[in-house]
């Protein structure tokens, strides 16, 4: 078997990254103090002690890369991000959710062109890559083809989703006229056009923006179409109490969105439920029983929504991962920051239940799982990504822990969650290709994109007539 594998490898160059502290996140949660990973093409072919791996591949004259004790981790996975909203960072701070949606975000999104979306995704992608993200789940925008173009150029991996709505108050005129059939049909066409493109790095999912903007028919048609095409559904779920109340009033169920989704059989293992803040104990057990995946976006939740019962979900066996949400609601697209915030707010939240904080809630190991292997499960891609294992895709990040932000490192796992900043992410490999080396993105021109994004965002806000009131006295 071993000889066979080596024969297959001959003729194709092998890269061996060695002398690294490797946090594999494999099922045994192995950590190699002095480890190496062999990569061929887009795939990890071996993981082990540096000496063993180097000698095993020496006859193939591999390219040896000495990581000098730096950390090697699976690429981080951001399971809820609005790439289209990057040009709208700062347009909706300190307002309630309905103002946020009706008066800022929807006018912004409905005035975007495909080129705006392309540029917004490039800008967002730059921030994602700098924070060690190799795969993300798009929460839904209008111009999926623009996003796909940017994702392919960035060299990152993504599950892209179109945002559709066929009901509800406050919708921009151009969206309000869309029929349910048009919503489903356009997503099927996007699936046909983009699914499994960019060397297999792009997948197309179905999207439901939120229940208040969906007819029953859209919900059930989405459920069936996703099943037919074998893909996932990305939906904002139970964001605010008002949403639950609307569902209770309209559908006559006794609690809210999750209870209703169970009734119409939408709670399934291919559902990625973002936020899921306002859920009761029974709904948590439903999420677990149905294998629904939850994206916890702690910073955005603190700004707009409230405390999600994350500890209860994890205890009930729900797969919980981490997301940043979009730039107008977070405003940082750093999953590194989300790891830190997730741990803190879920410890602090215990005050409401126990009368005191509980430092044992959401320990560092759990938070790291949320950002890696649970992220992979959430995007239904854990057979290929989420851990450093032979046979998986080579999505990995190199972390320089030698700067003042992390020194000294006594416990590498807690240091990754509590000390690491985006600035510690040195290099990023996605699908076997270095997309960032020594903090410089190799696939796109960062400065050029930043310049173009500044201009485009100004024009977009003017077209959408978005005013941002200020209480300060600008002279
Ligand atoms: Zn969102």
């Amino acid at each position: 078997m071993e000889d066979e594998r080596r024969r297959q490898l001959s003729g194709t160059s092998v890269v061996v990254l060695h002398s690294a502290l490797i946090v594999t996140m494999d099922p045994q949660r192995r950590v190699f103090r002095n480890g190496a990973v062999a990569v061929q093409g887009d795939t990890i072919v071996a993981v082990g002690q540096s000496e063993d791996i180097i000698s095993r591949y020496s006859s193939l004259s591999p390219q040896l890369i000495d990581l000098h004790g730096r950390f090697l981790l699976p690429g981080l996975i951001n399971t809820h991000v609005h790439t289209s909203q990057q040009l709208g960072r700062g347009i909706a701070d300190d307002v309630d959710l309905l103002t946020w949606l009706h008066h800022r975000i929807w006018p912004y999104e409905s005035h975007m062109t495909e080129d705006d979306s392309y540029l917004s995704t490039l800008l967002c992608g730059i921030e994602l890559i700098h924070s060690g993200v190799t795969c993300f789940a798009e929460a839904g925008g209008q111009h999926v083809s623009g996003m796909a173009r940017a994702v392919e150029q960035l060299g990152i991996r993504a599950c892209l989703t179109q945002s559709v709505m066929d009901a509800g108050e406050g919708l921009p005129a151009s969206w309000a006229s869309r029929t349910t059939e048009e919503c489903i049909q356009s997503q099927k066409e996007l699936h046909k056009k983009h699914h499994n493109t960019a060397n297999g790095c792009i997948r197309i999912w179905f999207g439901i923006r939120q229940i208040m903007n969906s007819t029953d028919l859209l919900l059930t048609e989405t459920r069936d179409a996703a099943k037919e095409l074998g893909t996932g559904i990305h939906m904002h779920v139970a964001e605010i109490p008002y949403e639950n109340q609307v569902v209770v009033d309209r559908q006559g169920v006794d609690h809210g969105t999750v209870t209703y989704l169970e009734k119409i059989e939408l709670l399934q293992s291919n559902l990625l439920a973002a936020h899921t803040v306002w859920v009761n104990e029974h709904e948590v057990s439903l999420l677990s029983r149905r294998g629904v995946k939850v994206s916890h976006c702690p910073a955005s939740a603190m700004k707009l929504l409230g405390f999600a019962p994350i500890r209860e979900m994890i205890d009930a066996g729900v797969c919980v991962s981490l997301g940043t949400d979009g730039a107008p609601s977070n405003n940082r697209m750093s999953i590194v920051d989300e790891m830190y915030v997730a741990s803190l707010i879920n410890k602090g939240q215990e005050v409401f239940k126990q009368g005191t904080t509980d430092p044992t809630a959401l320990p560092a190991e759990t938070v790291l799982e949320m950002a890696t292997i649970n992220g992979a499960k959430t995007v239904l891609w854990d057979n290929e990504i989420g851990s450093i294992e032979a046979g998986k895709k080579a999505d990995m990040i190199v972390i320089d822990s030698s700067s003042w932000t992390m020194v000294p490192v006594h416990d590498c796992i807690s240091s990754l969650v509590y000390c690491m900043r985006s600035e510690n992410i040195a290099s990023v490999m996605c699908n076997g290709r270095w997309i960032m080396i020594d903090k410089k993105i190799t696939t796109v021109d960062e400065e050029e994109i930043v310049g173009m994004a500044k201009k485009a965002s100004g024009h977009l806000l003017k077209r959408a007539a978005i005013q941002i009131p200020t209480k300060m006295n600008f002279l």
Side-chain angles (χ1 to χ4, degrees), residues 153-225:
Q153 213 172 321
L154 290 159
I156 198 170
R157 197 182 291 280
C159 298
L160 300 179
T161 308
Q162 191 182 36
S163 175
V164 296
M165 300 177 229
D166 69 345
E169 289 164 20
L171 286 183
S174 56
W175 295 354
S177 58
R178 258 191 232 163
T179 65
T180 309
E181 182 54 34
E182 283 166 354
C183 291
I184 297 293
Q185 199 48 39
S186 82
Q187 294 183 88
K188 282 187 173 172
E189 280 162 19
L190 288 168
H191 188 273
K192 202 170 169 192
K193 190 173 168 198
H194 296 295
H195 191 69
N196 246 332
T197 58
N199 298 315
C201 287
I202 293 178
R203 291 183 175 179
I204 300 294
W205 282 37
F206 281 80
I208 296 171
R209 189 67 177 237
Q210 50 145 315
I211 201 159
M212 293 186 287
N213 294 105
S214 310
T215 59
D216 267 11
L217 187 63
L218 181 62
L219 297 173
T220 52
E221 291 277 311
T222 301
R223 175 199 67 195
D224 296 344

Side-chain angles (χ1 to χ4, degrees), residues 31-206:
V31 178
F32 293 93
R33 284 198 176 83
N34 180 2
V37 176
V39 175
Q40 186 211 9
D42 61 8
T43 306
I44 295 168
V45 290
V47 185
Q49 303 292 355
S50 282
E51 247 177 60
D52 296 346
I53 300 293
I54 291 171
S55 73
R56 202 191 303 173
Y57 288 91
S58 60
S59 64
L60 296 172
S61 311
Q63 181 195 359
L64 293 174
I65 299 177
D66 188 340
L67 291 181
H68 300 287
R70 288 174 164 191
F71 294 4
L72 194 64
L73 249 73
L76 305 179
I77 297 170
N78 185 340
T79 60
H80 186 71
V81 50
H82 296 253
T83 58
S84 310
Q85 292 179 357
Q86 197 77 2
L87 300 183
R89 171 146 57 193
I91 66 169
D93 293 331
D94 308 330
V95 296
D96 67 88
L97 184 63
L98 292 181
T99 306
W100 189 92
L101 272 176
H102 295 180
H103 302 294
R104 307 290 170 84
I105 302 306
W106 288 350
Y108 163 88
E109 283 188 18
S110 64
H111 281 83
M112 282 193 109
T113 63
E114 186 172 317
D115 276 348
D116 288 331
S117 187
Y118 164 70
L119 205 50
S120 190
T121 305
L122 284 176
L123 185 66
C124 184
I126 287 171
E127 192 168 356
L128 294 176
I129 294 169
H130 274 289
S131 78
V133 166
T134 53
C135 178
F136 70 87
E138 163 66 42
Q142 299 306 310
H143 302 285
V144 173
S145 294
M147 292 176 201
R149 190 151 53 103
V151 166
E152 181 161 15
Q153 213 172 321
L154 290 159
I156 198 170
R157 197 182 291 280
C159 298
L160 300 179
T161 308
Q162 191 182 36
S163 175
V164 296
M165 300 177 229
D166 69 345
E169 289 164 20
L171 286 183
S174 56
W175 295 354
S177 58
R178 258 191 232 163
T179 65
T180 309
E181 182 54 34
E182 283 166 354
C183 291
I184 297 293
Q185 199 48 39
S186 82
Q187 294 183 88
K188 282 187 173 172
E189 280 162 19
L190 288 168
H191 188 273
K192 202 170 169 192
K193 190 173 168 198
H194 296 295
H195 191 69
N196 246 332
T197 58
N199 298 315
C201 287
I202 293 178
R203 291 183 175 179
I204 300 294
W205 282 37
F206 281 80

Side-chain angles (χ1 to χ4, degrees), residues 7 38 40 59 155 196 221 385 424 426 447 455 459:
R7 239 194 321 275
Q40 186 211 9
S59 64
N196 246 332
E221 291 277 311
I385 58 172
N424 292 104
E447 263 179 53
K455 275 191 203 152
H459 292 148

Side-chain angles (χ1 to χ4, degrees), residues 402-435:
S402 69
S403 69
W404 58 266
T405 51
M406 289 181 78
V407 165
V409 177
H410 296 299
D411 174 333
C412 64
I413 305 299
S414 70
S415 186
L416 287 167
V417 172
Y418 297 116
C419 309
M420 181 169 69
R421 322 265 176 103
S422 285
E423 294 93 311
N424 292 104
I425 313 283
S427 301
V428 177
M429 177 185 274
C430 184
N431 216 30
R433 173 186 183 202
W434 290 111
I435 58 172

